[in-house]
């Protein structure tokens, strides 16, 4: 059975730390971003002032700074961002809502700052050599590295950065424009000085998402349409550039040997393969066969049945392919189903709860998951933000102003999903589901339940591939048992993305990560009332709640990690009581298989697993297995 690879837009962590005069302040535990010194050149930033790397550091601890350059990785990406697709592509522009692009185009672009994957919320300078905060903390002056260059040799200047950010605010993918809405000015003071100004309504962490954004060329997009769905590679400046492309089938990223930033501390030991190749397959079995034949060199396995029974092919038996698990990240994990409350039949929480009762996780784990996966209870699973037990006094202080509009369950023990008897058809849970439907006004009429107008309760479950159909099928059968007219609609990747982006569905599944230190911008994409009407956002249920909006605002204003944890635990209680999302399941580890031709640091960083950037080609290993 399959889990979803993650479409993890703002889960991409690129944040910062501090410069010389402010280092002492930055290292004080619990200091908020808002308390960082102003008027001082900083070499980085962090959400709450906790930094690991001092000015002048030479490389991140989790890399091999002397990793060999060379070789090729044929890579099956386990996650994606913005408009990227795992199954096909018809554009090379990942930065707009239109079209489907290939994963990892982001490798071709530089950003102002780069993340440290062994810290939960720290970023350090890439294009930016330093950043200075204005006294009112609404302005940021970036000093850029004068050596920065695009791949055609032209300089990358402050004018390009200002142009890119204004372009995204106006025309970019909603995940970009949403983050930039509080930016009022982006001004190139001179070729190496950039000023960003905000309206004062931004969260303290807002800048951390902005400094991670890819920077495009003003000259290129002055003569090329940014909105176009095109196979013309954009001019870029990062460690890779787009090489050979076969639309919808293959894309290759070629390492730029004279990349201007190759010796920066944030890049040393990374981006080691001469070529990264991604092939696209319509179904999972074809993709798995590619691994077995050696056409794919690295694959993360999301199908429990295959992991349990399929890894018995010759290359694995003779040791040419390695099958192993790596620890998961220490970041919140969400995989959940949304029922689209823009449609009247799903607005009553009793209907949503009845449908949740029809998901027999215990049976699914035993029969489809081969004992893998655990039941999710929270949108912040595997993190300190998951609510447990009764709310604390601090949580209650945030929740009490909205008591009248919140379900009573919000104020009791954190809501848990029901545990079945594992039969696949738990009569007790299904009877409870039938009672909930009856209470919500759905009465039995023959084989179906109907409302007072005689209309059936219909649920169309939207699926993208066969693995998700297998997950949904027993769920649909249980819904039919209690009179719901349930069906499964499997569509191709293009239709799937379009229907999700335009909220054209009843029932859909989302896997998502919002990073170790969730920002208000990332939370808004999923939960904010304004996002319920914004195409391309991930507020799939259509949630509109003053309480949720206020809790997101509280998280954005958090002045310490303790305050952030409190706000998110309160938000978790509300989401679970409202059942805007039905939690499904999660896996603690990465299950991967790879041809034994790579080197990598054995100690994996806690907040990311970008093997295509961290690993390197080992010539001696490759020669032993005939892959040199």
């Amino acid at each position: 059975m399959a889990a979803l690879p993650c479409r993890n837009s703002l889960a991409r962590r690129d944040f910062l730390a501090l410069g010389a005069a402010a280092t002492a302040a930055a290292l004080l535990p619990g200091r908020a971003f808002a308390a960082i010194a102003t008027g001082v050149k900083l070499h980085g930033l962090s959400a709450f002032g906790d930094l690991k790397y001092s000015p002048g550091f030479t490389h991140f601890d989790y890399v091999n700074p002397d990793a060999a350059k060379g070789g090729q990785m044929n890579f099956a990406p386990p996650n994606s961002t913005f408009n990227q697709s795992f199954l096909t592509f018809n554009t090379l522009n990942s930065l707009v809502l239109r079209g489907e692009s290939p994963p990892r185009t982001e490798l071709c672009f530089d950003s102002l700052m780069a993340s440290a994957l062994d810290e939960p919320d720290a970023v350090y300078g890439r294009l930016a050599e330093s950043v200075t905060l204005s006294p009112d903390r609404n302005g940021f002056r970036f000093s850029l590295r004068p050596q920065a260059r695009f791949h055609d040799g032209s300089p990358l200047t402050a004018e390009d950065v200002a142009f890119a950010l204004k372009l995204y605010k106006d025309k970019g993918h909603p995940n970009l424009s949403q983050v930039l809405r509080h930016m009022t000015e982006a001004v190139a003071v001179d070729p190496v000085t950039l000023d960003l100004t905000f309206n004062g309504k931004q969260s303290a962490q807002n800048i951390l998402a902005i400094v991670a954004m890819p920077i495009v060329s003003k000259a290129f997009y002055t003569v090329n349409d940014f909105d176009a769905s095109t196979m013309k590679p954009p001019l870029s400046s990062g460690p890779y550039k787009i090489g050979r492309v076969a639309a919808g089938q293959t894309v290759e990223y070629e390492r730029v040997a004279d990349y201007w930033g190759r010796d920066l501390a944030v890049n040393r030991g990374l981006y080691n393969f001469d070529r990264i190749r991604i092939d696209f397959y319509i179904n999972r079995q074809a993709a798995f066969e590619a691994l077995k034949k050696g056409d794919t060199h690295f694959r993360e396995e999301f199908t429990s049945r295959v992991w349990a029974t399929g890894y018995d092919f010759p290359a694995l038996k003779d040791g040419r392919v390695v099958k192993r698990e790596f620890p998961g990240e220490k970041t919140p994990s969400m995989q959940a189903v949304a029922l689209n409350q823009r449609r009247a039949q799903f607005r009553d929480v009793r209907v949503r709860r009845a449908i949740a009762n029809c998901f027999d996780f215990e049976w699914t784990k035993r029969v489809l998951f081969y004992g893998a996966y655990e039941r999710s209870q929270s949108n912040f699973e595997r993190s300190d933000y998951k609510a447990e037990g009764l709310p604390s006094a601090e949580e209650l202080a945030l929740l009490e102003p909205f008591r009248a509009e919140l379900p009573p369950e919000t104020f009791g023990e954190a809501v848990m999903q029901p545990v079945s008897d594992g039969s696949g058809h738990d009569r007790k849970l299904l009877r409870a589901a039938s009672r909930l439907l009856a209470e919500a006004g759905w009465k039995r009429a023959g084989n179906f339940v109907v409302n007072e107008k005689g209309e059936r309760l219909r649920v169309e479950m939207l699926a993208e591939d066969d693995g998700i159909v297998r997950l949904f099928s027993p769920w649909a059968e249980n819904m039919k048992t209690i009179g719901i007219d349930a069906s499964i609609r499997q569509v191709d990747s293009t239709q799937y993305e379009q229907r999700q982006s335009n909220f054209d569905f009843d029932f859909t599944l989302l896997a998502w990560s919002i990073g170790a230190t969730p920002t208000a911008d990332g939370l808004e994409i999923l939960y904010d009332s304004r996002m319920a009407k914004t195409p391309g956002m991930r507020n799939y249920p259509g949630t509109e709640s003053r309480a949720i909006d206020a809790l997101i605002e509280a998280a954005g204003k958090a002045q310490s990690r303790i305050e952030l944890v409190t706000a998110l635990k309160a938000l978790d209680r509300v989401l679970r009581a409202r059942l805007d999302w039905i939690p499904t399941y999660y896996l603690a580890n990465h299950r991967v298989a790879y041809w034994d031709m790579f080197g990598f640091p054995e100690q994996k960083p806690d907040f990311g697993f970008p093997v295509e950037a961290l690993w390197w080609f080992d010539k001696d290993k490759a020669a032993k297995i005939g892959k040199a």
Side-chain angles (χ1 to χ4, degrees), residues 117-382:
L117 298 180
D118 54 354
E119 297 179 86
D121 54 20
V123 287
Y124 300 85
R126 181 177 278 160
L127 284 171
E129 194 166 30
S130 66
V131 57
T132 304
L133 280 68
S134 66
D136 65 1
R137 305 186 186 280
N138 291 326
F140 299 82
R141 170 161 287 188
F142 293 90
S143 297
L144 305 189
R145 301 183 195 272
Q147 67 268 38
R149 291 289 184 274
F150 287 105
H151 294 150
D152 66 354
S154 61
L156 192 163
T157 70
E159 192 68 37
D160 294 293
V161 182
F163 170 82
L165 297 181
K166 288 186 285 189
L167 182 65
Y168 300 156
K169 182 176 180 179
D170 183 35
K171 297 182 177 180
H173 190 283
N175 288 356
L176 293 167
S177 59
Q178 157 70 8
V179 174
L180 290 161
R181 71 190 187 283
H182 296 307
M183 185 186 76
T184 56
E185 286 188 301
V187 177
V189 178
D190 59 44
V192 295
T193 307
L194 170 77
D195 281 351
L196 300 184
T197 306
F198 296 82
N199 60 15
K201 298 179 181 179
Q202 76 280 2
S203 69
Q205 298 90 355
N206 180 248
I207 190 65
L208 302 181
I210 292 172
V211 298
M213 292 181 177
I215 301 305
V216 297
S217 162
K218 179 179 180 180
F220 181 86
Y221 279 118
T222 299
V223 297
N224 291 278
D225 184 2
F226 179 66
D227 291 333
S229 183
T230 176
M231 299 302 294
K232 181 177 182 179
L235 179 61
S236 52
S237 66
Y240 286 89
K241 62 182 179 180
I242 293 174
R244 190 174 77 84
V245 173
Q249 300 177 38
T250 299
V251 63
E252 293 182 354
Y253 300 103
E254 297 178 352
R255 188 171 64 85
V256 179
D258 60 351
Y259 169 45
W260 73 271
R262 64 186 180 276
D263 295 324
L264 295 178
V266 296
N267 292 332
R268 190 175 176 192
L270 297 168
Y271 314 118
N272 301 310
F273 296 105
D274 280 348
R275 185 176 295 103
I276 297 172
R277 174 184 171 123
I278 299 174
D279 292 312
F280 294 77
Y281 299 92
I282 295 300
N283 60 64
R284 292 176 185 267
Q285 187 56 41
F288 182 51
E289 293 298 323
L291 172 74
K292 291 163 66 174
K293 293 188 295 184
D295 293 339
T296 296
H297 301 150
F298 175 95
R299 169 184 170 85
E300 185 164 353
E301 186 56 69
F302 292 98
T303 304
S304 296
R305 173 183 55 81
V306 175
W307 186 251
T309 66
Y311 283 81
D312 59 355
F313 50 91
L316 189 135
K317 290 180 177 179
D318 64 25
R320 288 176 294 157
V321 170
V322 176
K323 175 190 177 189
R324 65 172 289 185
E325 296 189 15
F326 290 86
E329 284 68 66
K330 296 180 179 179
T331 54
S333 173
M334 169 187 170
Q335 184 160 293
V337 159
L339 287 164
N340 189 352
Q341 296 171 43
R342 299 167 190 85
R343 301 181 176 177
Q345 67 266 36
F346 304 124
R347 290 175 191 157
D348 193 314
V349 68
R350 292 170 294 189
V351 172
R352 302 196 294 275
R353 217 167 280 291
I355 291 172
N357 273 18
C358 294
F359 177 45
D360 191 328
F361 172 76
E362 284 67 34
W363 180 90
T364 301
K365 178 178 179 178
R366 176 172 55 85
V367 177
L368 299 182
F369 291 167
Y370 290 79
Y373 297 104
E374 298 302 328
R375 181 67 194 265
S376 293
Q377 299 291 346
S378 165
N379 286 21
F380 307 111
E381 200 64 60
R382 300 190 313 180

Side-chain angles (χ1 to χ4, degrees), residues 512-559:
W512 195 263
S513 176
I514 56 175
T517 303
T519 66
D521 305 293
L523 295 167
E524 286 169 352
I525 286 170
L526 289 164
Y527 311 122
D528 188 85
S529 297
R530 292 173 300 109
M531 300 303 106
K533 297 180 175 65
T534 306
M537 291 292 102
R538 304 298 185 186
N539 185 346
Y540 290 160
T543 302
E544 295 186 68
S545 164
R546 290 189 315 122
I548 288 176
D549 295 346
L551 292 170
I552 292 172
E553 184 178 359
K557 291 180 178 178
Q559 298 293 295

Side-chain angles (χ1 to χ4, degrees), residues 25 51 86 211 238 242 269 279 325 385 425 563 570 597:
L51 296 169
F86 301 106
V211 298
I242 293 174
D279 292 312
E325 296 189 15
Y385 312 129
H425 191 81
E563 289 183 10
M597 51 194 281

